[in-house]
Amino acid sequence: MTTIEKATTRPGAKAGQSNEFTLITPLKPGGAERMRKLLAAGFTGDRQKNTDRIGTVHDLRFVIFDDDTRVLFASTYDGDWDSYMDDFATIIPDELDLLFHECEGYPGARNPTFKNWLVSSQVEALAFYSAYPDASVRDVWKALKTKKALDALLDEAA
């Protein structure tokens, strides 16, 4: 397999600065059960902190279906496709490998064919909606921090 060169357009629908990413791929035999155990606690604690380190992830989800033979991974993110994938592969490659190692053909985040594997399993959404298409994750975090400070100030003044 040859490495896909950075293209000007990657798969995925866009709404303002928000982008969707949907991946559907087969699981290894027994992979569904192992993935369920791995993700039983969801995205809390260290897993949430690791994901937050990316700084562009609005949401994400894993869904196992087809009698435990396939998994859907979907996310909404800021920025362009290549930067998003590069961030995962360089900031939290071990976490990424842990989460996707049950997927058939997954080469690993550090493998030069990583993006090829993603593109081969990616499905572009027919329609994509974002409630705040012009607000980045960092904008939302900042707004929530400002609201918290303002609420505290108003509570103190009351």
Side-chain angles (χ1 to χ4, degrees):
M1 186 184 293
T2 60
T3 302
I4 294 175
E5 296 297 321
K6 183 175 179 179
T8 54
T9 305
R10 292 289 198 170
K14 187 174 183 66
Q17 59 78 45
S18 295
N19 300 277
E20 66 85 22
F21 176 77
T22 306
L23 179 116
I24 298 175
T25 190
L27 290 166
K28 295 175 183 175
E33 182 180 337
R34 291 185 297 270
M35 188 176 271
R36 279 189 184 95
K37 286 179 184 174
L38 177 68
L39 292 170
F43 279 80
T44 59
D46 287 341
R47 181 151 294 134
Q48 180 176 352
K49 288 176 189 171
N50 283 336
T51 305
D52 284 349
R53 288 176 54 208
I54 301 298
T56 58
V57 180
H58 288 267
D59 62 70
L60 56 80
R61 71 208 60 76
F62 286 84
V63 178
I64 296 171
F65 65 107
D66 278 352
D67 294 324
D68 288 356
T69 62
R70 296 195 298 163
V71 65
L72 174 143
F73 170 81
S75 67
T76 303
Y77 64 94
D78 301 327
D80 69 70
W81 190 97
D82 281 288
S83 295
Y84 181 60
M85 301 312 166
D86 289 343
D87 285 348
F88 272 99
T90 58
I91 296 172
I92 57 168
D94 294 334
E95 180 74 7
L96 196 64
D97 289 349
L98 180 66
L99 294 173
F100 285 95
H101 78 278
E102 295 298 343
C103 298
E104 286 285 347
Y106 177 70
R110 294 175 181 90
N111 189 302
T113 65
F114 171 63
K115 288 182 182 178
N116 294 49
W117 181 81
L118 292 170
V119 169
S120 73
S121 299
Q122 188 171 349
V123 179
E124 187 167 316
L126 294 175
F128 172 58
Y129 168 79
S130 176
Y132 42 93
D134 297 319
S136 70
V137 170
R138 293 182 192 280
D139 291 340
V140 172
W141 288 345
K142 185 177 179 181
L144 290 172
K145 188 175 180 180
T146 301
K147 181 190 178 307
K148 185 177 180 179
L150 180 59
D151 286 348
L153 182 65
L154 292 173
D155 288 345
E156 201 174 293

